[in-house]
Amino acid sequence: QVQLQESGPGLVRPSETLSLTCTVSGSSISSDYYWGWMRQSPGKGLEWIGSIYHSGHTYANPSLKSRVTISLDTSKNQFSLRLTSVTATDAAIYYCARDASGAPADYWGQGTLVTVSS
Amino acid sequence: QAGLTQPPSLSKDLRQTATLTCTGNNNDVGSLGAAWLQQHQGHPPKVLMYRNNSRPSGISERFSASRSRNTASLTITGLQPEDEADYYCSAWDRSLNAWVFGGGTKLTVL
């Protein structure tokens, strides 16, 4: 069974960088899937952030692309998200997930709440 | 960013049939169809239907999906109390090269 678990700070100060890591078990991130991030906030609903392939190829939501970096650590079977220059609108539950070709994701982490506040 | 349009709420009686709709455009729903996700309070979303209208393993046959041009529909027959949840549609937008979502429909089973 594929399982994903997000980890990282739950509080980020405005203008700083949000960093989250997703640890995957039950599947290798070097397998033939993209691995991605999504977020959900009361004001903006569900939003796809971006995804990465084991080759390192990434693609990201155009609305966030300039601030987003997604990377892999195959030795730890983890992938990570960095979102720079955060503002209050970046406060959300962040989910890591395994991409499915027919849906944004077929396996999801439980989500981690990130608050943006000074 | 462009998004998909879903009615915010729908109420149906137990054992009845609910049809949820999702409207997009030629670049998203009209291009490759829409996936459907179910989310119960406090849990991550779960895929109910892939955009080719197939169900993942373990999803009840009471769930079915269809598409007519730029509008996708999810039909749930024989409504059960556990069907009360938020339902989201999602499609790949080929102009944005991004997944887009609807705002979700909150289904209440009376």
Side-chain angles (χ1 to χ4, degrees):
Chain A
Q1 177 74 351
V2 180
Q3 293 185 314
L4 302 95
Q5 179 66 58
E6 306 88 352
S7 59
L11 177 65
V12 183
R13 299 186 190 283
S15 80
E16 295 190 346
T17 296
L18 179 160
S19 295
L20 297 173
T21 296
C22 182
T23 301
V24 180
S25 58
S27 180
S28 169
I29 61 170
S30 297
S31 59
D32 194 24
Y33 291 98
Y34 276 82
W35 302 88
W37 293 92
M38 277 166 280
R39 67 184 184 181
Q40 185 172 28
S41 62
K44 296 184 71 175
L46 277 166
E47 185 175 29
W48 177 77
I49 299 171
S51 299
I52 187 167
Y53 195 59
H54 62 76
S55 65
H57 176 259
T58 61
Y59 58 118
N61 192 318
S63 67
L64 298 168
K65 193 172 185 177
S66 63
R67 298 193 292 131
V68 165
T69 302
I70 300 175
S71 58
L72 290 168
D73 186 338
T74 54
S75 67
K76 295 180 180 179
N77 217 37
Q78 295 176 333
F79 61 102
S80 298
L81 169 71
R82 291 182 75 249
L83 180 66
T84 61
S85 305
V86 300
T87 68
T89 60
D90 294 310
I93 297 171
Y94 283 75
Y95 296 101
C96 62
R98 189 180 79 171
D99 277 20
S101 60
D106 54 2
Y107 290 97
W108 299 65
Q110 285 301 305
T112 187
L113 177 64
V114 175
T115 301
V116 178
S117 176
S118 55
Chain B
Q1 121 184 24
L4 310 177
T5 300
Q6 297 182 252
S9 63
L10 179 66
S11 296
K12 287 288 184 179
D13 290 328
L14 193 65
R15 294 183 294 276
Q16 294 303 300
T17 295
T19 299
L20 290 72
T21 60
C22 168
T23 302
N25 59 44
N26 290 336
N27 286 317
D28 43 55
V29 175
S31 174
L32 290 173
W36 288 90
L37 301 94
Q38 178 192 60
Q39 186 177 32
H40 289 104
Q41 184 71 26
H43 293 270
K46 178 176 76 173
V47 177
L48 284 179
M49 304 292 296
Y50 292 113
R51 57 186 177 182
N52 63 358
N53 296 334
S54 66
R55 283 184 303 273
S57 172
I59 299 300
S60 171
E61 292 180 352
R62 297 188 297 106
F63 294 93
S64 63
S66 62
R67 175 171 66 103
S68 176
R69 299 186 70 175
N70 297 334
T71 297
S73 298
L74 174 73
T75 298
I76 313 170
T77 59
L79 283 168
Q80 299 298 307
E82 61 267 28
D83 297 331
E84 188 163 289
D86 295 323
Y87 291 83
Y88 296 91
C89 60
S90 181
W92 179 257
D93 188 313
R94 61 182 181 179
S95 66
L96 297 174
N97 274 335
W99 285 100
V100 293
F101 290 90
T105 296
K106 182 177 184 60
L107 175 64
T108 300
V109 180
L110 303 172

